[in-house]
Amino acid sequence: MEKKELKIKSKIIHQYTLPFGVHGCLALSNDMCVILGVKSGELGKFILLNSGSVEVLDYEVPPMDKCGFNYRGALFKTDVGFGCVFDYELVEFDLRKRTFKTTRVKDSLPRDEADRKTGPYRAAVQVSKKEYLVTLQDNSHYFKTKYFCTLKKNMWGACYEPFVYTMKRTTHISAVDCHATYANGRLLFHRCELFGLDSHISEFCEILNGREDVIASVSKGIGRFTSDEQHLLIRTYSKPYVLEFYSLEGVKLFTIPLTPKRVIGNIEKRFLEFFDKYDSTIWMGRDSYVTQTRFETS
């Protein structure tokens, strides 16, 4: 007997217009989210959204090489706040103390197979007090987060360990969107590989003993693991553009249509790239807009 999909009720709680463009989104709670914001020609900022308020935090995102702003950073959640890995700096913010702590990444960024620079992108996870799993962007924008790497802190700074895993692609000319997490001792990732205008594969995977194990084939789209470590969200590539919720075992649980009045607000759903979820709240960002939506299942 076919299992009926859960019915979803949703309501937009807040819609934010920010002074910066959104290039990262991390949900810290139902009421709080941090945005990595950048503006062309200026250094970026962390923007804290809290129950309708907007606070630009007093920290200047370090620039990339030959670039006046930094769109490339790997956000992660901590027990006391959040952090982000940049090309040569690890920064962590304590929400209670309202203080930043920075650690210099003392060695060079890892190089790809063609001996080009990589860089932290999209996601990092604090595995232990002094160890972080970081996804790295290939030098080419067409192949995102191809590498998974460990960043370790010590008394002198932070340094990269050898690649944990290098994701393989199945075609010679393709673009891949990938997102990874470390949840309950498991290294999980989703990747969607494109060839031309068509989606080739969309897979939910786990790395076991250095090998890639496909847990499930999922809908083709952009995937993001939620900061509450409960779900994989997929924003589908094809119309009508929905958010699909998967368990960490790869089972599709329910779908939320990205309707303007009840879910996504004034964000163009076709181009939604930055989103996260904590408990019953979804945070979605695009350009200078962020929408906060509550939902419940029945």
Side-chain angles (χ1 to χ4, degrees):
M1 186 175 181
E2 186 177 350
K3 184 178 179 181
K4 290 184 178 180
E5 194 164 297
L6 294 171
K7 292 183 179 180
I8 308 298
K9 294 181 180 179
S10 60
K11 179 181 179 181
I12 294 175
I13 304 299
H14 296 290
Q15 295 188 76
Y16 303 83
T17 301
L18 308 181
F20 292 81
V22 177
H23 280 266
C25 174
L26 179 72
L28 302 177
S29 71
N30 271 320
D31 300 312
M32 188 180 297
C33 176
V34 63
I35 298 296
L36 172 60
V38 299
K39 186 185 295 184
S40 182
E42 297 184 22
L43 294 180
K45 292 284 190 177
F46 292 118
I47 304 167
L48 197 63
L49 308 181
N50 189 2
S51 301
S53 68
V54 177
E55 179 185 4
V56 180
L57 298 179
D58 187 21
Y59 171 84
E60 290 191 339
V61 171
M64 292 173 59
D65 291 342
K66 300 178 183 179
C67 187
F69 64 99
N70 196 339
Y71 68 89
R72 192 168 66 188
L75 286 164
F76 60 92
K77 191 174 181 294
T78 70
D79 292 338
V80 296
F82 70 90
C84 192
V85 182
F86 295 108
D87 284 4
Y88 300 103
E89 190 165 274
L90 166 70
V91 59
E92 294 172 278
F93 182 70
D94 189 313
L95 284 166
R96 294 192 293 266
K97 296 179 180 178
R98 308 291 297 179
T99 56
F100 280 101
K101 180 181 179 181
T102 60
T103 303
R104 180 71 178 170
V105 179
K106 61 182 181 178
D107 56 347
S108 300
L109 290 163
R111 314 289 288 193
D112 67 10
E113 296 101 322
D115 198 35
R116 301 170 301 194
K117 283 185 178 180
T118 60
Y121 196 60
R122 297 232 186 276
V125 182
Q126 188 171 16
V127 178
S128 65
K129 189 175 182 180
K130 295 184 178 181
E131 184 175 337
Y132 308 82
L133 173 70
V134 185
T135 55
L136 299 174
Q137 181 189 46
D138 192 292
N139 184 72
S140 169
H141 297 302
Y142 296 109
F143 207 115
K144 299 176 181 177
T145 55
K146 179 179 179 181
Y147 306 100
F148 305 150
C149 196
T150 299
L151 182 69
K152 291 187 176 181
K153 282 199 305 185
N154 55 42
M155 60 186 299
W156 299 283
C159 58
Y160 284 103
E161 298 290 313
F163 291 137
V164 174
Y165 185 74
T166 301
M167 190 176 67
K168 308 299 189 296
R169 58 181 175 182
T170 59
T171 57
H172 294 292
I173 302 174
S174 62
V176 172
D177 187 274
C178 180
H179 199 261
T181 191
Y182 187 80
N184 300 320
R186 301 168 67 203
L187 176 52
L188 307 170
F189 70 93
H190 166 264
R191 58 109 176 264
C192 188
E193 186 168 339
L194 305 175
F195 182 74
L197 298 177
D198 299 319
S199 297
H200 257 317
I201 58 172
S202 183
E203 294 176 333
F204 182 4
C205 304
E206 180 175 4
I207 296 176
L208 289 170
N209 301 319
R211 291 190 170 187
E212 177 182 309
D213 178 43
V214 178
I215 298 172
S217 293
V218 296
S219 295
K220 296 176 176 65
I222 295 174
R224 302 286 179 258
F225 289 95
T226 59
S227 62
D228 61 6
E229 299 184 353
Q230 297 297 315
H231 297 97
L232 167 67
L233 303 185
I234 301 287
R235 194 275 289 165
T236 57
Y237 274 137
S238 57
K239 292 181 180 180
Y241 306 114
V242 300
L243 275 182
E244 296 183 345
F245 284 63
Y246 291 84
S247 73
L248 296 190
E249 286 67 47
V251 177
K252 183 178 175 182
L253 302 174
F254 55 90
T255 298
I256 295 183
L258 293 173
T259 56
K261 290 184 178 180
R262 292 186 176 274
V263 180
I264 200 169
N266 53 9
I267 297 173
E268 173 53 61
K269 59 186 176 181
R270 178 183 177 185
F271 301 110
L272 178 63
E273 184 178 0
F274 300 101
F275 50 91
D276 197 2
K277 167 253 173 191
Y278 195 96
D279 288 343
S280 59
T281 301
I282 308 170
W283 298 84
M284 296 159 285
R286 171 76 187 183
D287 298 326
S288 59
Y289 303 112
V290 176
T291 301
Q292 178 187 0
T293 298
R294 291 272 170 85
F295 69 94
E296 61 180 35
T297 60
S298 59

